[in-house]
Amino acid sequence: MPDSSAIYPGSFDPVTNGHVDIIERGLRVFDRIVVAVLKNPKKATLFTTKERVRMIQDLFASKKEVEVRAFDGLLVDFAKAQGTNVVIRGLRAISDFEYEFQMALMNRSLAPDIETFFMMPSVNYSFLSSNLVREVAALGGSVEGLVPGPVARRLRQKLGGSKKSPKSIKAG
Ligand SMILES: Nc1ncnc2c1ncn2[C@@H]1O[C@H](COP(=O)(O)OP(=O)(O)OP(=O)(O)O)[C@@H](O)[C@H]1O
Ligand SMILES: [Mg+2]
């Protein structure tokens, strides 16, 4: 039987324990997961694309089943280019549903052979977002338990415990 694979796209700015939870759950179902980090020129990110990719690569360095790639353009095209027809998305409490429903149906109309696969994280991470992590870290709060240790360290390096608003942070 050929290896099963899926793509898990997002901005991962930065990767949180919620993302890690979804990747680990995904590995119980798929043989290979391509984590696709969105290069989004329209959205200012705290971490550069390279930094976002690198943090996830480092976390899964011992798992060859997890590949991390940057992408732009249409997700369905990138999924096909990676040789997969499954897109994994995480569903948090209430907030994600409407947007995810829209995206899944849009992707289906663009590429009917691609299926979106939703996974629920552990209840501990059901209200966790990268945005929340950026805000807490920018205000000098602890993000322990919300992101992996190395990511917490990168956040401290980046923000230096200063109280600048995450909204004022420029891309790159
Ligand atoms: N805590 C979490 N639990 C489950 N799924 C999650 C969690 N955080 C993000 N996801 C899912 O991971 C995918 C990529 O998310 P993304 O990188 O946009 O993270 P985000 O936390 O929504 O970031 P931001 O707060 O910057 O919008 C999406 O499917 C999103 O629903
Ligand atoms: Mg989001």
Side-chain angles (χ1 to χ4, degrees):
M1 201 168 77
D3 282 0
S4 62
S5 65
I7 190 165
Y8 177 39
S11 28
F12 305 100
D13 184 35
V15 59
T16 69
N17 285 343
H19 295 128
V20 171
D21 181 284
I22 294 294
I23 295 168
E24 283 171 349
R25 282 173 205 285
L27 286 174
R28 296 183 188 170
V29 182
F30 300 98
D31 299 317
R32 180 176 74 107
I33 293 183
V34 180
V35 181
V37 177
L38 181 63
K39 297 187 222 169
N40 191 346
K42 279 195 292 235
K43 201 168 134 191
T45 53
L46 175 60
F47 290 98
T48 63
T49 306
K50 220 171 163 180
E51 289 172 323
R52 288 178 282 141
V53 166
R54 188 63 196 269
M55 281 187 276
I56 307 169
Q57 275 172 342
D58 288 349
L59 291 175
F60 292 96
S62 65
K63 287 212 163 89
K64 61 172 183 356
E65 318 84 283
V66 178
E67 291 169 26
V68 190
R69 307 245 187 285
F71 85 105
D72 53 15
L74 278 179
L75 174 65
V76 291
D77 292 340
F78 187 70
K80 283 180 195 164
Q82 293 298 309
T84 184
N85 63 350
V86 178
V87 174
I88 295 179
R89 297 291 285 174
L91 267 191
R92 285 163 291 194
I94 317 165
S95 57
D96 286 322
F97 184 78
E98 186 151 357
Y99 176 73
E100 293 295 340
F101 197 92
Q102 249 180 353
M103 283 298 294
L105 293 181
M106 177 53 73
N107 283 336
R108 181 179 290 166
S109 85
L110 291 168
D113 51 333
I114 290 198
E115 287 298 338
T116 306
F117 189 92
F118 290 102
M119 302 197 82
M120 255 83 76
S122 154
V123 68
N124 301 334
Y125 307 131
S126 289
F127 295 92
L128 176 59
S129 68
S130 295
N131 182 44
L132 197 65
V133 165
R134 292 194 300 273
E135 290 197 14
V136 169
L139 295 170
S142 167
V143 291
E144 198 187 327
L146 306 182
V147 295
V151 176
R153 280 194 289 282
R154 295 303 312 274
L155 277 163
R156 279 197 296 275
Q157 281 166 5
K158 191 72 135 181
L159 297 165
S162 77
K163 302 219 190 279
K164 63 184 166 187
S165 155
K167 298 200 173 56
S168 71
I169 292 159
K170 303 252 162 22

